[in-house]
Amino acid sequence: MKKIILFLFMAMLLQVAYAQNQPKDFILLKRGSNQKSQIRFYPGESITYKSKKLGYFITDKIVNLDTDFIYLTENILSPADIEEIDIRNKDPRNRTLRNLTALFIGAGGLLLTVDGVNSIYQEGNLNIDSGIATTSGILIGTGLVLLPLRYKTFKQKGNNRIQVIIMRID
């Protein structure tokens, strides 16, 4: 028992020491002062961006960060050169919108299915009630309306700023 406790204690100390040696650098996409709308990209992650020099989006992997430059596998980029960043898979608000969309579409489909199965079981033929058809149509329509509301890109203009945060202790 003492060996297990000693082993767990040593593992915890090694984890804390390892975590302190890791650089905590990241790219911060800041939209105003609200922390919920801040998005972070760490070294090792892929980033899809559109620079001022090129008119299309490029996906690249972040290798290293400096105060003035972002080092990617295929490019070296200044944060001021970035026009837009694709945030479809990174923004946590998109997960909420995706879940709401799935909830509304799933509820409408489930309501139609349950009424159809119930009518087949009780009456022997498929008969959907008009009120249930209307309600499920409204639910599915609401889900489809929510589809295009997701946040797609982060544009660097106005209060939207891209910052490189260096948090190294030398």
Side-chain angles (χ1 to χ4, degrees):
M1 184 68 178
K2 289 182 180 181
K3 288 182 181 181
I4 294 173
I5 292 173
L6 181 64
F7 175 74
L8 290 174
F9 182 70
M10 292 298 288
M12 190 172 63
L13 282 177
L14 285 173
Q15 183 180 8
V16 169
Y18 180 73
Q20 287 179 352
N21 289 335
Q22 293 295 318
K24 304 284 191 258
D25 306 341
F26 57 90
I27 299 171
L28 180 69
L29 307 182
K30 190 171 182 177
R31 183 174 293 160
S33 62
N34 189 0
Q35 190 165 355
K36 288 183 179 180
S37 61
Q38 295 178 356
I39 301 169
R40 296 178 182 188
F41 286 91
Y42 294 95
E45 291 183 351
S46 292
I47 186 169
T48 303
Y49 65 94
K50 182 201 264 187
S51 70
K52 292 179 181 177
K53 298 174 185 173
L54 302 171
Y56 51 89
F57 283 93
I58 300 170
T59 301
D60 209 344
K61 186 176 178 181
I62 301 170
V63 176
N64 198 4
L65 299 172
D66 195 357
T67 55
D68 298 326
F69 296 104
I70 302 168
Y71 298 98
L72 306 166
T73 54
E74 300 290 329
N75 200 359
I76 298 174
L77 194 62
S78 170
D81 290 340
I82 297 175
E83 208 171 272
E84 292 181 60
I85 294 180
D86 186 1
I87 58 170
R88 289 176 205 178
N89 298 325
K90 195 73 174 164
D91 198 344
R93 298 171 295 176
N94 281 344
R95 285 191 292 270
T96 305
L97 286 171
R98 183 177 18 228
N99 291 340
L100 270 174
T101 301
L103 181 70
F104 281 116
I105 292 175
L110 186 65
L111 187 61
L112 273 177
T113 304
V114 167
D115 190 48
V117 168
N118 192 27
S119 71
I120 289 173
Y121 181 72
Q122 294 207 357
E123 299 170 9
N125 61 352
L126 181 64
N127 186 16
I128 305 289
D129 185 42
S130 65
I132 290 186
T134 304
T135 304
S136 63
I138 290 170
L139 286 170
I140 291 172
T142 303
L144 293 174
V145 166
L146 287 176
L147 278 174
L149 294 180
R150 296 186 184 144
Y151 298 94
K152 294 174 182 70
T153 60
F154 178 89
K155 296 180 182 176
Q156 183 163 262
K157 65 179 180 179
N159 288 338
N160 298 347
R161 290 285 168 234
I162 299 172
Q163 299 173 344
V164 177
I165 309 294
I166 305 293
M167 298 182 74
R168 290 191 189 135
I169 301 172
D170 292 330

